Amino acid sequence: MDSSTELTLPAPAKLNLFLHIVGRRNDGYHELETLFQFLSISDELHFTLTNDGTISLTSGLTEVTTDDNLVYRAALLLLPHRQDTSLGVQITLDKKIPMGGGLGGGSSDAATTLLALNKLWQLKLTPQQLADIGLQLGADVPVFLFGRAALAQGIGENLYPAQPKESWYLVINPGVHVSTADIFQHPDLPRDSSRIKRQARHWLMYRNDCQQLVSTLYPPVAKALQWLLEYAPTRMTGTGACVFGCFENQAAAQKALAELPAEFSGFVAQGLNTSPAWQALHTG
């Protein structure tokens, strides 16, 4: 099969270097300000064109049904945009990003699917059209389509390019699942942070407004943060449960990882200001 009918792309993880909640809209959605940076760890998706008009997905995930998988849902949203309705796709997802930890793996998988099928099915959708479709799948999807580290405002749809330092991070998974919906509905969640009036300065000057609440509700998150703080400046990403420490170099991060308590899992990755998926699509 020639290269025009097959495509393999990464779907990188992300960190929220900070996350402020600046208000709540009448429709219940929260207004956010957050700094996104990609990580050098990625899921991998392989796409093969078919001529039967259908979408099939192989993921190996037992905890997520195909109908609920954001990859499958993303592909479904593009079906009405096909000129040739005989075009289908077979998708294989190789999952490497820990699930449910605030690293954006599902959103990234969805964004990579939108980018890949826009090319394979020759849909010629604009970046804005793709972003509008992506926002239907989740507030984190547009930044993966945008492809650059960004300060996000609104519910995640207003993106402004940013250039945080491409540091090395030790990311720890405390081993608990945090419900994003439960956190955003919780009465103790702060919702009145001041808006950033100018370009965000260094992320350490800001905070994650969800971190204290999640640490209270999920003691393993608090324990992971406390342990990691002995080694490096530390934050929780998104609504958790993963936390990260920022290191000057890979060796220092690896040294801390080697001392990680057995109750936690973790990995070392570099922060990236350009998405590997976006890079592969535009340079491949």
Side-chain angles (χ1 to χ4, degrees), residues 174-191:
V176 293
H177 179 77
V178 177
S179 167
T180 298
D182 288 352
I183 296 303
F184 277 117
Q185 291 166 11
H186 200 284
D188 294 341
L189 181 69
R191 296 180 171 89

PDB file of all heavy atoms in Angstrom, residues 174-191:
ATOM      1  N   PRO A 174       0.148   9.081  40.857  1.00  0.00           N
ATOM      2  CA  PRO A 174      -0.105   8.594  42.229  1.00  0.00           C
ATOM      3  C   PRO A 174      -0.993   7.362  42.292  1.00  0.00           C
ATOM      4  O   PRO A 174      -1.190   6.802  43.377  1.00  0.00           O
ATOM      5  CB  PRO A 174      -0.798   9.788  42.910  1.00  0.00           C
ATOM      6  CG  PRO A 174      -0.521  10.959  42.037  1.00  0.00           C
ATOM      7  CD  PRO A 174      -0.420  10.419  40.641  1.00  0.00           C
ATOM      8  N   GLY A 175      -1.570   6.960  41.145  1.00  0.00           N
ATOM      9  CA  GLY A 175      -2.330   5.723  41.118  1.00  0.00           C
ATOM     10  C   GLY A 175      -3.784   5.854  41.527  1.00  0.00           C
ATOM     11  O   GLY A 175      -4.424   4.864  41.873  1.00  0.00           O
ATOM     12  N   VAL A 176      -4.320   7.079  41.485  1.00  0.00           N
ATOM     13  CA  VAL A 176      -5.751   7.280  41.742  1.00  0.00           C
ATOM     14  C   VAL A 176      -6.371   7.946  40.523  1.00  0.00           C
ATOM     15  O   VAL A 176      -5.693   8.637  39.762  1.00  0.00           O
ATOM     16  CB  VAL A 176      -5.999   8.146  43.000  1.00  0.00           C
ATOM     17  CG1 VAL A 176      -5.552   7.405  44.243  1.00  0.00           C
ATOM     18  CG2 VAL A 176      -5.288   9.497  42.892  1.00  0.00           C
ATOM     19  N   HIS A 177      -7.665   7.715  40.334  1.00  0.00           N
ATOM     20  CA  HIS A 177      -8.378   8.342  39.222  1.00  0.00           C
ATOM     21  C   HIS A 177      -9.184   9.508  39.756  1.00  0.00           C
ATOM     22  O   HIS A 177     -10.020   9.349  40.644  1.00  0.00           O
ATOM     23  CB  HIS A 177      -9.295   7.349  38.515  1.00  0.00           C
ATOM     24  CG  HIS A 177     -10.057   7.964  37.385  1.00  0.00           C
ATOM     25  ND1 HIS A 177      -9.481   8.226  36.155  1.00  0.00           N
ATOM     26  CD2 HIS A 177     -11.333   8.413  37.306  1.00  0.00           C
ATOM     27  CE1 HIS A 177     -10.379   8.781  35.365  1.00  0.00           C
ATOM     28  NE2 HIS A 177     -11.511   8.916  36.044  1.00  0.00           N
ATOM     29  N   VAL A 178      -8.934  10.695  39.224  1.00  0.00           N
ATOM     30  CA  VAL A 178      -9.645  11.907  39.637  1.00  0.00           C
ATOM     31  C   VAL A 178     -10.705  12.226  38.587  1.00  0.00           C
ATOM     32  O   VAL A 178     -10.391  12.332  37.400  1.00  0.00           O
ATOM     33  CB  VAL A 178      -8.668  13.092  39.795  1.00  0.00           C
ATOM     34  CG1 VAL A 178      -9.430  14.370  40.152  1.00  0.00           C
ATOM     35  CG2 VAL A 178      -7.618  12.783  40.860  1.00  0.00           C
ATOM     36  N   SER A 179     -11.936  12.391  39.028  1.00  0.00           N
ATOM     37  CA  SER A 179     -13.015  12.760  38.116  1.00  0.00           C
ATOM     38  C   SER A 179     -12.986  14.263  37.869  1.00  0.00           C
ATOM     39  O   SER A 179     -13.210  15.062  38.793  1.00  0.00           O
ATOM     40  CB  SER A 179     -14.370  12.357  38.693  1.00  0.00           C
ATOM     41  OG  SER A 179     -15.423  12.976  37.976  1.00  0.00           O
ATOM     42  N   THR A 180     -12.691  14.656  36.625  1.00  0.00           N
ATOM     43  CA  THR A 180     -12.667  16.077  36.273  1.00  0.00           C
ATOM     44  C   THR A 180     -14.012  16.728  36.565  1.00  0.00           C
ATOM     45  O   THR A 180     -14.086  17.837  37.110  1.00  0.00           O
ATOM     46  CB  THR A 180     -12.305  16.248  34.788  1.00  0.00           C
ATOM     47  OG1 THR A 180     -10.996  15.718  34.571  1.00  0.00           O
ATOM     48  CG2 THR A 180     -12.324  17.708  34.374  1.00  0.00           C
ATOM     49  N   ALA A 181     -15.104  16.041  36.211  1.00  0.00           N
ATOM     50  CA  ALA A 181     -16.445  16.588  36.432  1.00  0.00           C
ATOM     51  C   ALA A 181     -16.687  16.841  37.917  1.00  0.00           C
ATOM     52  O   ALA A 181     -17.232  17.894  38.304  1.00  0.00           O
ATOM     53  CB  ALA A 181     -17.496  15.636  35.873  1.00  0.00           C
ATOM     54  N   ASP A 182     -16.274  15.896  38.756  1.00  0.00           N
ATOM     55  CA  ASP A 182     -16.490  16.063  40.201  1.00  0.00           C
ATOM     56  C   ASP A 182     -15.717  17.257  40.746  1.00  0.00           C
ATOM     57  O   ASP A 182     -16.220  18.002  41.604  1.00  0.00           O
ATOM     58  CB  ASP A 182     -16.064  14.794  40.955  1.00  0.00           C
ATOM     59  CG  ASP A 182     -17.031  13.636  40.747  1.00  0.00           C
ATOM     60  OD1 ASP A 182     -18.106  13.864  40.149  1.00  0.00           O
ATOM     61  OD2 ASP A 182     -16.697  12.503  41.166  1.00  0.00           O
ATOM     62  N   ILE A 183     -14.490  17.441  40.258  1.00  0.00           N
ATOM     63  CA  ILE A 183     -13.677  18.563  40.738  1.00  0.00           C
ATOM     64  C   ILE A 183     -14.302  19.891  40.315  1.00  0.00           C
ATOM     65  O   ILE A 183     -14.435  20.822  41.122  1.00  0.00           O
ATOM     66  CB  ILE A 183     -12.224  18.458  40.220  1.00  0.00           C
ATOM     67  CG1 ILE A 183     -11.550  17.204  40.791  1.00  0.00           C
ATOM     68  CG2 ILE A 183     -11.420  19.707  40.570  1.00  0.00           C
ATOM     69  CD1 ILE A 183     -11.535  17.127  42.304  1.00  0.00           C
ATOM     70  N   PHE A 184     -14.722  19.994  39.077  1.00  0.00           N
ATOM     71  CA  PHE A 184     -15.279  21.266  38.606  1.00  0.00           C
ATOM     72  C   PHE A 184     -16.651  21.562  39.208  1.00  0.00           C
ATOM     73  O   PHE A 184     -17.091  22.712  39.218  1.00  0.00           O
ATOM     74  CB  PHE A 184     -15.339  21.288  37.075  1.00  0.00           C
ATOM     75  CG  PHE A 184     -14.045  21.683  36.429  1.00  0.00           C
ATOM     76  CD1 PHE A 184     -13.362  20.800  35.601  1.00  0.00           C
ATOM     77  CD2 PHE A 184     -13.493  22.935  36.647  1.00  0.00           C
ATOM     78  CE1 PHE A 184     -12.152  21.167  35.009  1.00  0.00           C
ATOM     79  CE2 PHE A 184     -12.287  23.312  36.067  1.00  0.00           C
ATOM     80  CZ  PHE A 184     -11.626  22.421  35.246  1.00  0.00           C
ATOM     81  N   GLN A 185     -17.324  20.541  39.725  1.00  0.00           N
ATOM     82  CA  GLN A 185     -18.620  20.763  40.364  1.00  0.00           C
ATOM     83  C   GLN A 185     -18.503  20.960  41.874  1.00  0.00           C
ATOM     84  O   GLN A 185     -19.478  21.320  42.536  1.00  0.00           O
ATOM     85  CB  GLN A 185     -19.545  19.569  40.078  1.00  0.00           C
ATOM     86  CG  GLN A 185     -19.986  19.474  38.626  1.00  0.00           C
ATOM     87  CD  GLN A 185     -20.597  18.122  38.282  1.00  0.00           C
ATOM     88  OE1 GLN A 185     -20.889  17.310  39.155  1.00  0.00           O
ATOM     89  NE2 GLN A 185     -20.774  17.869  36.993  1.00  0.00           N
ATOM     90  N   HIS A 186     -17.317  20.758  42.421  1.00  0.00           N
ATOM     91  CA  HIS A 186     -17.144  20.783  43.872  1.00  0.00           C
ATOM     92  C   HIS A 186     -17.305  22.211  44.419  1.00  0.00           C
ATOM     93  O   HIS A 186     -16.750  23.159  43.864  1.00  0.00           O
ATOM     94  CB  HIS A 186     -15.760  20.244  44.247  1.00  0.00           C
ATOM     95  CG  HIS A 186     -15.662  19.785  45.666  1.00  0.00           C
ATOM     96  ND1 HIS A 186     -15.573  20.664  46.719  1.00  0.00           N
ATOM     97  CD2 HIS A 186     -15.666  18.529  46.219  1.00  0.00           C
ATOM     98  CE1 HIS A 186     -15.499  19.978  47.850  1.00  0.00           C
ATOM     99  NE2 HIS A 186     -15.561  18.678  47.578  1.00  0.00           N
ATOM    100  N   PRO A 187     -18.049  22.378  45.508  1.00  0.00           N
ATOM    101  CA  PRO A 187     -18.269  23.732  46.038  1.00  0.00           C
ATOM    102  C   PRO A 187     -16.999  24.404  46.567  1.00  0.00           C
ATOM    103  O   PRO A 187     -16.951  25.644  46.649  1.00  0.00           O
ATOM    104  CB  PRO A 187     -19.270  23.503  47.185  1.00  0.00           C
ATOM    105  CG  PRO A 187     -19.173  22.048  47.527  1.00  0.00           C
ATOM    106  CD  PRO A 187     -18.815  21.358  46.259  1.00  0.00           C
ATOM    107  N   ASP A 188     -15.978  23.629  46.911  1.00  0.00           N
ATOM    108  CA  ASP A 188     -14.753  24.216  47.466  1.00  0.00           C
ATOM    109  C   ASP A 188     -13.722  24.604  46.413  1.00  0.00           C
ATOM    110  O   ASP A 188     -12.636  25.092  46.759  1.00  0.00           O
ATOM    111  CB  ASP A 188     -14.108  23.245  48.456  1.00  0.00           C
ATOM    112  CG  ASP A 188     -14.971  23.030  49.693  1.00  0.00           C
ATOM    113  OD1 ASP A 188     -15.859  23.877  49.951  1.00  0.00           O
ATOM    114  OD2 ASP A 188     -14.787  22.011  50.383  1.00  0.00           O
ATOM    115  N   LEU A 189     -14.034  24.404  45.146  1.00  0.00           N
ATOM    116  CA  LEU A 189     -13.085  24.770  44.091  1.00  0.00           C
ATOM    117  C   LEU A 189     -13.015  26.291  43.945  1.00  0.00           C
ATOM    118  O   LEU A 189     -14.054  26.943  43.775  1.00  0.00           O
ATOM    119  CB  LEU A 189     -13.519  24.150  42.758  1.00  0.00           C
ATOM    120  CG  LEU A 189     -12.607  24.434  41.563  1.00  0.00           C
ATOM    121  CD1 LEU A 189     -11.267  23.721  41.722  1.00  0.00           C
ATOM    122  CD2 LEU A 189     -13.279  24.003  40.251  1.00  0.00           C
ATOM    123  N   PRO A 190     -11.813  26.893  43.991  1.00  0.00           N
ATOM    124  CA  PRO A 190     -11.705  28.340  43.757  1.00  0.00           C
ATOM    125  C   PRO A 190     -12.123  28.679  42.317  1.00  0.00           C
ATOM    126  O   PRO A 190     -11.755  27.974  41.384  1.00  0.00           O
ATOM    127  CB  PRO A 190     -10.211  28.631  43.972  1.00  0.00           C
ATOM    128  CG  PRO A 190      -9.663  27.430  44.672  1.00  0.00           C
ATOM    129  CD  PRO A 190     -10.506  26.269  44.269  1.00  0.00           C
ATOM    130  N   ARG A 191     -12.876  29.747  42.179  1.00  0.00           N
ATOM    131  CA  ARG A 191     -13.365  30.124  40.843  1.00  0.00           C
ATOM    132  C   ARG A 191     -13.194  31.616  40.574  1.00  0.00           C
ATOM    133  O   ARG A 191     -13.872  32.171  39.707  1.00  0.00           O
ATOM    134  CB  ARG A 191     -14.846  29.748  40.697  1.00  0.00           C
ATOM    135  CG  ARG A 191     -15.118  28.246  40.778  1.00  0.00           C
ATOM    136  CD  ARG A 191     -16.605  27.934  40.631  1.00  0.00           C
ATOM    137  NE  ARG A 191     -16.832  26.506  40.488  1.00  0.00           N
ATOM    138  CZ  ARG A 191     -17.022  25.666  41.517  1.00  0.00           C
ATOM    139  NH1 ARG A 191     -17.022  26.147  42.762  1.00  0.00           N
ATOM    140  NH2 ARG A 191     -17.230  24.378  41.312  1.00  0.00           N
TER     141      ARG A 191
END
